[in-house]
């Protein structure tokens, strides 16, 4: 009879099949930062949050409570606790139904791996057998890992990490006693004790766990009382969503990888995401901000804020603006001068002309429509003067500039079927913020560029040449003296701004001795924004980003061998003044004309004080300074060199405006005031 019973028992056990070990489980894909912090996770194909967890990732206090409440002899038994199981069996016999499960943590893991709805003696026996089988294969810590990963916490939350992030907004590494007690209580009845739906039941269950801890004397009465006073969450928090675009790219690139570690610094990324959102809101509901932070030496991306808000449809939040092709405005000028330094055409102290010039049908103008005459190359770059930059570009060659930037790894987009021209130096090309930031990182690397990487396991690619070391150092030294935005300290970082044609894109890219940061501001749809400029919109964000990044700022590298540090007068004669091989003749200067108001225009007078008419503007283009403006034959007072001035009309009627320049040229318009 005994043999028959044993045979039947073995037959029953054999019918269970191989023991479940959780080796085919599907987990949430997770993307971590460079230090192992969670940036973003994704639900499984069944829509569950199931984040793998190990004992080392959880607060030790949780295990003190868990073992005392669930399985006191976890480390002594081999899957089944005979004392607890015997007590449960006796209660079943005397009451006719299951009163207490007597389940060990190993048995609970077996149930989680082979879930069954019914509660019966057969099911309990099956769990006991499975627990013993699991214990024969897995270590105690591996079994704990399965429990920490699979325990249900209500809704689609599985595992302690998903529960802690959702209910407390943090990883379970540091739990309070009240939080640990709640996380021990919830798996017993996860749906009926969900804090976000059954708050009172969740609190009561937590307090029962704490009361048992008090009876066991594990914690002092004062600790128990403080734990009971801790608030129980009413709602679920959003799962972490840091660097969402970078995470999406990483998962799309390796869809079968469960855990991906990026080079991004999660804390810096979160800080800059907050900065971008604050500034975008201040700029307007349609405005967006993108920020890139790069380790100049390694090329590792430390932060990539692609949009201020991933879920903001009005700002096209899911569009990655760090990789959108936009016009850089003047942000390419340092590379123009860098090639000029490399070719021996100029030196930072070389004198260069900022005067009206025409190249065929192209006549570059400065942003403020004025000209500064003779200036040093240093000042021309720091003030972002257009005419000197175009003059140098004419000598080094637009095609050579695009080729050099492409060789360094930047993707440049020219209009279809259009060859590189002189407008390239003022933004007549498309580039991505990521590429522009990478290029600027070469100025402190001695003229080489390290291709950007965003994954810790990415192979390091060889550096690419951008400029010769001396030319790169000259640019860094010049940009270090660029006037800072209002209320910012100068000289701490080297930077350059850019504003695209039509006020569509505002840029600021800067670097210290270790990091390079790029900022883009504009509308995602590319629409123009009145008054948008790199200096006022992007530069303040750049300086704030450096202030919130690694401190203190790193020192710039010393001057390389061959760098010539001197004054204009002590330069070799060929370098004292820029002498282009193709000098634009004076006849190529732009003709003098009154740009506004046009001849024959009718202007409506308005008054602000109810008495005298408001002043009216006059805008002048071309000509050779100094200029003289006359109203009905009488000179109009104006600041020297000003090309926009105002005159006070006496009242309705016709007026004649006339302007003459130093070369004797003149233009005149007749305007009606009404």
């Amino acid at each position: 009879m005994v043999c028959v019973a044993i045979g039947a028992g073995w037959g029953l056990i054999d019918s269970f099949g191989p023991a479940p070990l959780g080796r085919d489980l599907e987990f949430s894909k997770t993307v971590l930062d460079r230090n192992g912090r969670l940036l973003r996770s994704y639900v499984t194909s069944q829509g569950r949050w199931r984040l793998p967890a190990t004992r080392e990732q959880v607060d030790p206090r949780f295990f003190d409570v868990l073992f005392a409440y669930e399985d006191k002899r976890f480390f002594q038994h081999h899957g089944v606790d005979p004392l607890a199981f015997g007590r449960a069996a006796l209660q079943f016999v005397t009451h006719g139904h299951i009163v207490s499960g007597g389940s060990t943590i190993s048995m609970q893991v077996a149930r989680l791996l082979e879930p069954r709805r019914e509660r019966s003696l057969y099911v309990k026996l099956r769990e006991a057998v499975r627990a013993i089988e699991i214990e024969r294969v897995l270590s105690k810590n591996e079994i704990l890992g399965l429990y920490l990963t699979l325990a249900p916490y209500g809704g689609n939350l599985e595992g302690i990490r998903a529960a802690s992030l959702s209910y407390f907004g943090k990883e379970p590494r540091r739990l309070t006693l009240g939080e640990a007690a709640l996380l021990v209580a919830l798996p017993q009845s996860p749906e009926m004790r969900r804090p976000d739906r059954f708050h009172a039941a969740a609190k009561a269950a937590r307090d029962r766990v704490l009361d048992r801890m008090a009876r066991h004397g594990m914690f002092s009465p004062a600790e128990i009382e403080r734990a009971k006073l801790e608030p129980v969450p009413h709602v679920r928090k959003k799962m972490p969503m840091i660097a969402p675009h970078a995470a999406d790219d990483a998962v799309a690139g390796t869809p079968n990888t469960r855990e991906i570690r990026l080079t991004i610094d999660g804390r810096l990324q979160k800080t800059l995401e907050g900065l971008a959102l604050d500034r975008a809101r201040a700029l307007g509901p349609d405005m967006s901000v993108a920020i890139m932070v790069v380790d100049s030496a390694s090329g590792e991306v430390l932060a990539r804020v692609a949009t201020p808000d991933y879920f903001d449809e009005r700002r096209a939040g899911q569009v990655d603006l760090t990789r959108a092709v936009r016009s850089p405005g003047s942000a390419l000028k340092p590379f123009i001068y860098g090639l000029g330094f490399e070719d021996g055409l100029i030196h930072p102290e070389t004198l260069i002309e900022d005067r009206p010039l025409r190249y065929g049908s192209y006549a570059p103008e400065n942003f403020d429509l004025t000209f500064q005459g003779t200036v040093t190359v240093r000042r021309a770059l720091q003030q972002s003067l257009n005419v000197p930059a175009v003059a140098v570009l004419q000598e080094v060659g637009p095609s050579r500039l695009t080729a050099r930037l492409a060789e360094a790894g930047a993707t440049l987009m020219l209009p279809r079927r259009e060859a590189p021209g002189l407008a390239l130096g003022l933004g007549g090309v498309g580039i991505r913020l990521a590429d522009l930031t990478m290029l600027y990182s070469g100025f402190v690397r001695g003229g080489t560029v390290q291709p950007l990487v965003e994954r810790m396991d990415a192979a390091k690619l060889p550096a690419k040449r951008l400029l010769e070391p001396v030319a790169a150092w000259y640019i860094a030294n010049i940009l270090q003296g660029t006037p800072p935005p209002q209320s910012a300290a100068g000289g701490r970082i080297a930077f350059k701004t850019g504003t695209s044609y039509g006020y569509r894109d505002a840029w600021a890219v800067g670097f210290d001795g270790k990091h390079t940061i790029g900022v883009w501001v504009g509308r995602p749809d590319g629409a123009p924004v009145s008054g948008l400029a790199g200096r006022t919109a992007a530069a303040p964000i750049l300086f704030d980003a450096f202030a919130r990044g690694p401190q203190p700022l790193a020192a710039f590298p010393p001057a390389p061998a061959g760098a010539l540090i001197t004054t204009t007068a002590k330069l070799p004669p060929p370098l004292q003044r820029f002498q282009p091989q193709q000098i634009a003749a004076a006849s190529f200067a732009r003709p003098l004309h009154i740009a506004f108001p046009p001849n024959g225009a009718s202007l409506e007078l308005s008054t602000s004080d109810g008495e005298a008419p408001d002043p009216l503007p006059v805008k002048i283009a071309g000509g050779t300074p100094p200029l003289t403006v006359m109203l009905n034959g009488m000179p109009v007072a104006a600041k020297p060199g000003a090309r926009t001035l105002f005159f006070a009309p006496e009242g309705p009627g016709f007026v004649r405006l006339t302007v003459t320049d130093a070369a004797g040229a003149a233009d005149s318009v007749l305007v009606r005031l009404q």
Side-chain angles (χ1 to χ4, degrees):
M1 191 68 179
V2 174
C3 292
V4 173
I6 293 174
W10 278 113
L12 178 64
I13 293 173
D14 188 61
S15 69
F16 294 163
L21 301 175
R23 289 172 179 165
D24 57 349
L25 290 172
E26 181 188 5
F27 296 94
S28 293
K29 292 183 175 65
T30 56
V31 180
L32 311 178
D33 82 342
R34 63 187 302 111
N35 299 308
R37 300 185 186 92
L38 181 65
L39 294 175
R40 187 179 182 185
S41 58
Y42 298 80
V43 294
T44 65
S45 59
Q46 289 79 35
R48 300 173 181 172
W49 293 107
R50 183 187 288 165
L51 306 178
T54 63
R55 188 176 182 181
E56 292 73 22
Q57 293 175 308
V58 181
D59 193 310
R61 188 179 307 207
F62 170 82
F63 296 106
D64 294 339
V65 179
L66 176 68
F67 296 143
Y69 192 78
E70 291 282 3
D71 194 349
K72 299 182 184 66
R73 290 171 286 277
F74 174 71
F75 288 100
Q76 284 75 49
H77 63 66
H78 299 285
V80 176
D81 186 346
L83 296 178
F85 202 72
R87 183 185 68 249
L90 179 61
Q91 290 173 337
F92 177 78
V93 171
T94 56
H95 292 82
H97 60 85
I98 295 177
V99 177
S100 62
S103 296
T104 62
I105 290 175
S106 302
M107 292 173 65
Q108 292 182 51
V109 168
R111 182 168 66 249
L112 293 170
L113 292 172
E114 287 186 336
R116 293 177 180 271
R117 292 183 177 275
E118 71 274 12
R119 297 183 67 190
S120 65
L121 187 59
Y122 167 78
V123 172
K124 188 63 64 176
L125 177 62
R126 183 185 179 99
E127 290 175 4
V129 172
R130 289 307 202 194
I132 294 171
E133 292 176 333
I134 291 172
E135 290 259 1
R136 293 177 61 185
V137 180
L138 302 180
S139 68
K140 289 290 186 180
N141 280 340
E142 289 174 326
I143 294 170
L144 272 180
L146 285 172
Y147 178 83
L148 296 172
T149 300
L150 299 175
Y153 285 92
N156 63 346
L157 299 178
E158 292 188 8
I160 191 170
R161 288 183 66 198
S164 183
L165 289 166
S166 186
Y167 291 134
F168 310 132
K170 64 180 181 181
E171 292 276 5
R173 292 186 182 91
R174 296 289 183 268
L175 297 173
T176 66
L177 180 56
E179 291 168 346
L182 179 62
L183 294 178
V184 168
L186 291 184
Q188 300 298 314
S189 184
E191 293 304 322
M192 299 307 297
R193 296 176 180 177
R194 284 181 58 172
D196 58 328
R197 292 188 178 180
F198 305 102
H199 183 264
K203 185 177 186 304
R206 180 201 67 179
D207 291 349
R208 284 195 295 272
V209 173
L210 292 171
D211 289 337
R212 184 179 294 187
M213 298 303 102
R215 289 195 296 271
H216 291 169
M218 294 184 60
F219 302 97
S220 68
E223 286 181 290
I224 297 295
E225 287 305 313
R226 284 196 299 269
K228 286 186 175 182
L229 292 175
E230 292 180 22
V232 172
H234 286 79
V235 296
R236 282 175 53 167
K237 301 179 184 296
K238 293 181 179 179
M239 296 296 282
M241 181 73 80
I242 304 172
H245 298 83
D248 286 346
D249 290 344
V251 170
T254 51
N256 298 322
T257 303
R258 193 182 76 188
E259 183 178 281
I260 303 170
R261 180 169 290 194
L262 302 183
T263 60
I264 285 174
D265 183 319
R267 291 179 178 173
L268 176 62
Q269 175 78 24
K270 191 172 183 179
T271 297
L272 296 185
E273 285 179 0
L275 171 64
L277 183 58
D278 290 344
R279 292 307 178 89
R281 285 173 174 170
L283 288 167
D286 297 308
M287 298 296 291
S288 196
V289 174
I291 305 173
M292 288 281 297
V293 182
V294 172
D295 184 302
S296 302
S298 66
E300 293 180 348
V301 177
L302 302 180
R304 174 153 74 95
V305 182
T307 55
D309 186 346
Y310 187 77
F311 297 104
D312 190 335
E313 293 184 4
R314 184 165 181 174
R315 290 190 172 91
Q318 297 189 23
V319 175
D320 187 349
L321 293 171
T322 65
R323 298 185 176 181
V325 177
R326 299 291 181 138
S327 168
S330 298
L332 295 184
K333 287 178 182 175
F335 307 104
I336 297 173
Y337 288 109
L339 289 178
F341 294 144
E342 193 173 288
D343 291 348
L345 299 173
I346 53 175
H347 178 274
E349 307 308 325
T350 297
L351 297 178
I352 192 168
E353 297 300 318
D354 179 34
R355 301 181 186 279
L357 292 177
R358 178 176 292 274
Y359 301 89
S361 62
Y362 179 55
E365 293 180 329
N366 289 324
F367 187 78
D368 59 1
L369 300 180
T370 66
F371 298 93
Q372 296 191 19
T374 303
V375 296
T376 63
V377 167
R378 179 183 299 276
R379 180 174 175 81
L381 180 53
Q382 290 175 348
Q383 297 292 326
S384 195
L385 302 179
N386 290 340
V387 175
V390 172
V392 176
L393 180 60
Q394 169 78 356
E395 295 302 306
V396 301
S399 296
R400 180 163 168 244
L401 174 65
T402 57
R404 179 65 66 85
L405 298 184
E407 288 173 6
T411 301
L412 302 178
M413 298 294 292
L414 286 163
R416 189 178 180 184
R417 298 178 181 175
E418 185 169 318
L422 294 180
L424 181 75
L426 307 184
V429 67
I431 194 170
R432 306 183 305 171
L433 176 62
D435 287 342
L436 189 61
T437 306
M438 176 190 68
L439 291 174
Y440 269 73
S441 70
F443 291 132
V444 292
R445 285 180 46 87
T448 62
V449 170
Q450 185 65 47
L452 301 187
V453 293
E454 213 164 68
R455 293 184 54 149
M456 293 296 289
D457 59 357
K460 188 174 181 179
L461 300 174
K464 299 181 179 181
R465 176 175 174 263
L466 175 65
L467 293 170
E468 293 298 328
V470 171
W473 185 85
Y474 281 159
I475 295 295
N477 181 260
I478 291 173
L479 295 183
Q480 194 176 356
T482 302
Q486 190 173 6
S487 302
R492 303 183 67 202
I493 65 171
F495 77 103
K496 180 72 181 73
T497 60
T499 305
S500 70
Y501 176 78
Y503 303 100
R504 288 173 168 82
D505 308 279
W507 305 74
V509 189
F511 51 90
D512 64 358
K514 187 174 182 181
H515 300 105
T516 304
I517 300 180
V519 175
W520 172 89
V521 178
R523 285 182 50 145
D525 59 4
V529 180
S530 178
L532 182 71
R535 182 168 182 79
T536 56
I541 300 176
L542 174 70
F543 274 71
D544 274 352
F546 269 104
R548 301 184 189 193
Q551 295 293 330
L553 296 177
F556 290 91
L564 180 60
I565 304 173
T566 185
T567 62
T568 303
K570 294 182 180 180
L571 285 172
L575 282 179
Q576 290 182 0
R577 181 177 291 274
F578 177 60
Q579 298 290 345
Q581 295 177 4
Q582 299 177 359
I583 301 177
S587 59
F588 288 156
R590 293 186 61 191
L592 176 68
H593 72 281
I594 298 175
F596 184 88
N599 188 38
S602 295
L603 302 181
E604 186 172 346
L605 298 175
S606 61
T607 59
S608 300
D609 55 11
E611 296 181 2
D614 292 337
L616 294 175
V618 179
K619 293 187 177 181
I620 304 164
T624 304
L627 306 176
T628 302
V629 180
M630 291 179 287
L631 174 65
N632 294 330
M634 299 298 294
V636 177
K639 293 181 179 179
R643 290 182 174 268
T644 299
L645 61 147
F646 294 84
F647 69 92
E650 296 181 355
F654 288 92
V655 296
R656 178 168 293 280
L657 293 166
T658 304
V659 59
T660 60
D661 70 356
D667 189 29
S668 181
V669 297
L670 183 66
V671 180
R672 180 181 180 183
L673 306 181
Q674 56 187 13

